[in-house]
Amino acid sequence: MPASNAPQRPTPATFAALPPDLAPAVAGLWNGSLGHTVRCVPTRRVVAAETGAGWLFGKWRVGARADAAAEWRWLHLLPLLGLRTPAPVAWLREGRRSLLVTRGVSGRPLDAWMVTAAREGFAEPLLDYLCRRVAPLLRCLHGQRLAYRDLYWNHVFADDPRGDPAPVFLDVERVFRPRWRWRRWLTKDLAGLRASVPAAVVVTERQMLRFARACLGPGLRAHRALLAAVVRKARRIRRHEPRFG
């Protein structure tokens, strides 16, 4: 667990308490002298900076303190379940503005690897990787009755999957444990993965079922209603137009 579940005020003492190789970069991200914007929506902006200690990413928010608190908490808790996340560095807040800083991760999103695998002829080894390395982690997450709620292939990063790297899960702020309607949230998670397979990638029903079995366990007949709901939900997700592009 983090030493503090509350954001820190950006004072000289706050920065001095950080590891020496990170303190100047975090201060630079906070005061705007370091980093460039990689994504921006009305209440949230993500900046990236290459430093001597590697890449750092900062997520600025205006308000939305509960979202920042959830992300900070899950960045610490999910690794305890075996899910790798970006390493948390700092969470700073002043007034309504907050900045959550993490280390960068290596690799590429898995939807990009799907396109590469289809083009270069290693689609089956990639499927092996997804079933062996990604699906068991999702099964563990869901076994704890935790829903990701933002589960798309572009939020799962990995180095070359032919080398069997551990996947890394990004954008974890929406993870939660629902008190009811569990099947709805499980359906949404699985449908998000199905819907986010790139259009250029052809996936057979056999491949879909193999991955579903790895996520849900043997005996898919018992999950027929769930799988049908996943297909329907995936269609609706694909028709959805993003709010901010």
Side-chain angles (χ1 to χ4, degrees), residues 22-218:
L22 295 177
V26 174
L29 286 171
W30 176 260
N31 64 35
S33 64
L34 187 68
H36 62 275
T37 298
V38 294
R39 178 168 169 75
C40 186
V41 297
T43 61
R44 189 172 67 254
R45 181 166 63 96
V46 179
V47 296
E50 187 174 13
T51 75
W55 281 93
L56 293 180
F57 285 81
K59 188 176 290 186
W60 283 101
R61 291 180 174 90
V62 178
R65 181 172 178 176
D67 291 344
E71 183 171 21
W72 184 249
R73 182 173 66 253
W74 290 117
L75 285 171
H76 290 84
L77 290 179
L78 289 178
L80 300 180
L81 297 178
L83 281 74
R84 288 185 63 203
T85 63
V89 173
W91 179 23
L92 309 172
R93 180 172 177 264
E94 189 170 63
R96 298 187 68 239
R97 297 170 68 245
S98 70
L99 174 67
L100 194 155
V101 182
T102 64
R103 287 187 180 272
V105 301
S106 62
R108 303 164 63 203
L110 283 173
D111 58 348
W113 279 117
M114 290 177 186
V115 175
T116 300
R119 183 176 63 244
E120 298 183 4
F122 62 94
E124 282 299 317
L126 177 59
L127 178 61
D128 291 342
Y129 172 79
L130 299 180
C131 292
R132 185 179 65 255
R133 295 290 268 160
V134 179
L137 295 173
L138 300 180
R139 192 173 176 183
C140 176
L141 182 79
H142 293 146
Q144 296 291 321
R145 284 296 194 268
L146 292 172
Y148 204 96
R149 286 200 295 173
D150 214 6
L151 190 56
Y152 305 104
W153 288 118
N154 65 319
H155 289 166
V156 189
F157 268 57
D159 290 314
D160 191 332
R162 289 166 290 187
D164 203 38
V168 183
F169 292 81
L170 279 61
D171 289 333
V172 299
E173 66 191 56
R174 299 190 68 199
V175 173
F176 85 133
R177 178 176 280 113
R179 296 178 62 184
W180 51 76
R181 302 184 69 184
W182 166 247
R183 166 115 166 236
R184 170 193 176 185
W185 300 109
L186 176 59
T187 299
K188 185 180 188 302
D189 276 0
L190 297 179
L193 293 177
R194 184 176 180 119
S196 59
V197 172
V201 177
V202 177
V203 181
T204 67
E205 193 63 26
R206 178 193 67 81
Q207 291 171 326
M208 289 285 191
L209 290 175
R210 182 181 168 196
F211 182 73
R213 186 177 296 109
C215 288
L216 299 171

